[in-house]
């Protein structure tokens, strides 16, 4: 049995991090030290969507199914010198902009990383995200719902990238030119959502309260707002099988899609082969759609 006070020094970017309980299992097949090695592999991708943003983490001190998990907005203390931070609304956030900070957070059993939609000290959104949230755990119609949204975006001449949330839903990421406001994107999101609810009333809803949604699939265009967060692309999730929120090709949205197939144990090979799919889509121009909605 390992000593609960066991600590192992780890050198990262010239900084020493003391790893406590490195053999502690965070998922059934992944110890803490193995998790930290996975974070090093994910870092070039994950940090792209976390650096220079206000970060919320979810900590699971005793592993992914720990019922005492908690959200951490304020930077943990004591804070090493290599950790950069930023204030917003009296909250002292971590700026996850380097690998050492990522591993420091991983050692604290931060299993999920949820960045803001906007950059530190800026008010414009960095990208646009539509969250598709099923009302039941296993929703066989989810693929159809996501494809309907993708087809509509395509008709509107908007390129997008679907990604697994790592939980039950799917999110659609739209890289954008950084000149649009949250208000403008919400207007487009509302238009798209209301159109889909009207066209598929037995499939979609924009009802905010989950208890009133019945079994309809929620198009959450309201979550994309200043001060709110969503699971970052490439963040692990604290669920069985250690899933990773993974961007996909549109042809991968099909009946064979099992989100947990994209996980910490196999994501490295995919990233080596495919790279970051979001970065392959050029920032989208939305002026044509905003002009139409203003008429």
């Amino acid at each position: 049995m390992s000593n609960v006070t066991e600590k192992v020094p780890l050198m990262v970017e010239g900084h020493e991090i003391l790893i406590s309980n490195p053999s502690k299992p965070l998922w059934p097949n992944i110890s803490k030290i193995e998790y930290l090695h996975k974070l090093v592999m994910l870092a070039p991708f994950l940090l792209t969507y976390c650096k220079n943003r206000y970060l919320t983490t979810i900590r699971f001190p005793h592993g992914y199914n720990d019922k005492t998990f908690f959200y951490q907005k304020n930077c943990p203390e004591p804070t090493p010198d290599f950790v950069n931070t930023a204030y917003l609304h009296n909250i002292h956030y971590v700026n996850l902009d380097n690998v050492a900070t990522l591993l420091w957070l991983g050692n604290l059993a931060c299993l999920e990383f949820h960045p803001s939609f906007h950059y530190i000290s800026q008010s414009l959104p960095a990208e646009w995200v539509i969250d598709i949230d099923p009302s039941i755990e296993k929703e066989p119609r989810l693929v159809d719902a996501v494809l309907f949204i993708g087809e509509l975006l395509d008709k509107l001449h908007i390129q997008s990238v679907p990604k697994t949330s790592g939980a039950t839903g799917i999110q659609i990421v739209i890289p954008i030119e950084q000149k649009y406001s949250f208000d403008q994107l919400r207007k487009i999101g509302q238009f798209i959502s209301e159109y889909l609810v009207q066209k598929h009333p037995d499939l979609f809803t924009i009802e905010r309260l989950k208890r009133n949604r019945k079994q309809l699939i929620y198009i959450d265009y309201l979550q994309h707002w200043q001060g709110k967060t969503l699971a970052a692309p490439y963040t692990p999730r604290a669920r069985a099988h250690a899933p990773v929120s993974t961007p996909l090709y549109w042809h991968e949205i099909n009946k064979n899609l099992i989100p947990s197939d994209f996980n910490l144990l196999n994501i490295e090979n995919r990233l080596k082969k495919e790279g970051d799919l979001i970065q392959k889509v050029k920032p989208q121009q939305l002026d044509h759609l905003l002009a139409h909605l203003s008429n």
Side-chain angles (χ1 to χ4, degrees), residues 64-85:
Y64 84 97
N65 59 353
D66 181 4
K67 303 306 181 185
T68 63
F69 74 91
F70 60 96
Y71 287 78
Q72 179 107 44
K73 290 183 177 289
N74 277 295
C75 181
E77 295 182 349
T79 308
D81 292 340
F82 57 78
V83 176
N84 294 312
T85 60

Side-chain angles (χ1 to χ4, degrees), residues 26-171:
L26 296 180
W27 287 271
N29 297 319
I30 302 174
S31 67
K32 181 187 281 189
I33 196 66
E34 290 169 331
Y35 172 54
L36 297 183
H37 285 301
K38 299 296 185 184
L39 288 181
V40 171
M41 175 270 298
L42 286 173
F45 303 92
L46 179 59
L47 265 61
T48 298
Y49 302 97
C50 292
K51 64 183 177 182
N52 300 323
R53 306 199 194 203
Y54 303 98
L55 181 72
T56 298
T57 61
I58 311 181
R59 293 175 60 177
F60 294 77
H62 303 293
Y64 84 97
N65 59 353
D66 181 4
K67 303 306 181 185
T68 63
F69 74 91
F70 60 96
Y71 287 78
Q72 179 107 44
K73 290 183 177 289
N74 277 295
C75 181
E77 295 182 349
T79 308
D81 292 340
F82 57 78
V83 176
N84 294 312
T85 60
Y87 281 94
L88 180 67
H89 305 317
N90 296 319
I91 297 175
H92 190 203
Y93 287 96
V94 170
N95 174 5
L96 180 47
D97 62 352
N98 60 70
V99 178
T101 298
L102 178 61
L103 297 193
W104 174 68
L105 291 171
N107 181 53
L108 296 175
C110 296
L111 302 190
E112 300 192 9
F113 302 88
H114 297 241
S116 63
F117 291 112
H118 57 97
Y119 295 117
I120 291 170
S121 301
Q122 296 188 25
S123 60
L124 295 178
E127 68 280 298
W128 177 30
V129 184
I130 302 172
D131 189 19
I132 301 100
D133 186 13
S135 298
I136 57 178
E137 181 78 13
K138 295 183 179 180
E139 173 54 86
R141 303 171 301 166
L142 180 61
V143 164
D144 291 335
V146 174
L147 289 175
F148 283 139
I149 298 173
E151 289 167 4
L152 178 56
L153 290 171
D154 191 54
K155 289 178 181 177
L156 295 172
H157 306 291
I158 300 172
Q159 295 182 54
S160 60
V161 180
K163 78 175 180 79
T164 63
S165 70
T168 59
I170 292 177
Q171 289 133 13

Side-chain angles (χ1 to χ4, degrees), residues 174-216:
I174 303 99
I176 56 171
E177 296 184 0
Q178 202 182 357
K179 64 179 184 179
Y180 302 108
S181 68
F182 281 101
D183 277 317
Q184 288 175 312
L185 297 180
R186 179 167 285 189
K187 181 182 292 186
I188 300 174
Q190 182 177 0
F191 165 74
I192 289 172
S193 301
E194 289 179 348
Y195 172 84
L196 288 165
V197 168
Q198 184 177 25
K199 190 170 179 64
H200 305 282
D202 296 328
L203 183 61
F204 291 113
T205 184
I206 53 174
E207 169 58 53
R208 190 71 171 162
L209 295 177
K210 191 168 185 177
R211 65 175 179 271
N212 295 334
R213 295 179 202 162
K214 299 179 181 178
Q215 292 193 349
L216 297 174

Side-chain angles (χ1 to χ4, degrees), residues 1-3 15 23 38 86 94 104-105 111 125 162 166 192 204 219 230 241 286:
M1 182 178 294
S2 62
N3 188 334
H15 305 287
S23 59
K38 299 296 185 184
V94 170
W104 174 68
L105 291 171
L111 302 190
I192 289 172
F204 291 113
I219 309 175
L230 203 65
H241 311 297
L286 304 175

Side-chain angles (χ1 to χ4, degrees), residues 217-287:
I217 295 172
Y218 178 46
I219 309 175
D220 190 355
Y221 68 90
L222 295 174
Q223 182 65 19
H224 188 265
W225 197 250
Q226 190 169 20
K228 293 182 180 291
T229 66
L230 203 65
Y234 309 107
T235 180
R237 300 302 300 269
R239 298 176 71 90
H241 311 297
V244 172
S245 181
T246 305
L248 305 175
Y249 290 105
W250 273 106
H251 67 77
E252 294 178 296
I253 304 294
N254 57 54
K255 296 297 184 183
N256 296 320
L257 176 63
I258 302 174
S260 60
D261 283 348
F262 305 92
N263 57 64
L264 282 175
L265 296 176
N266 62 22
I267 193 67
E268 183 173 7
N269 288 338
R270 177 183 177 87
L271 294 179
K272 285 180 178 178
K273 179 181 178 182
E274 307 294 349
D276 183 356
L277 300 187
I278 297 174
Q279 296 300 310
K280 296 181 180 182
V281 175
K282 68 178 182 179
Q284 298 295 288
Q285 163 72 254
L286 304 175
D287 292 0

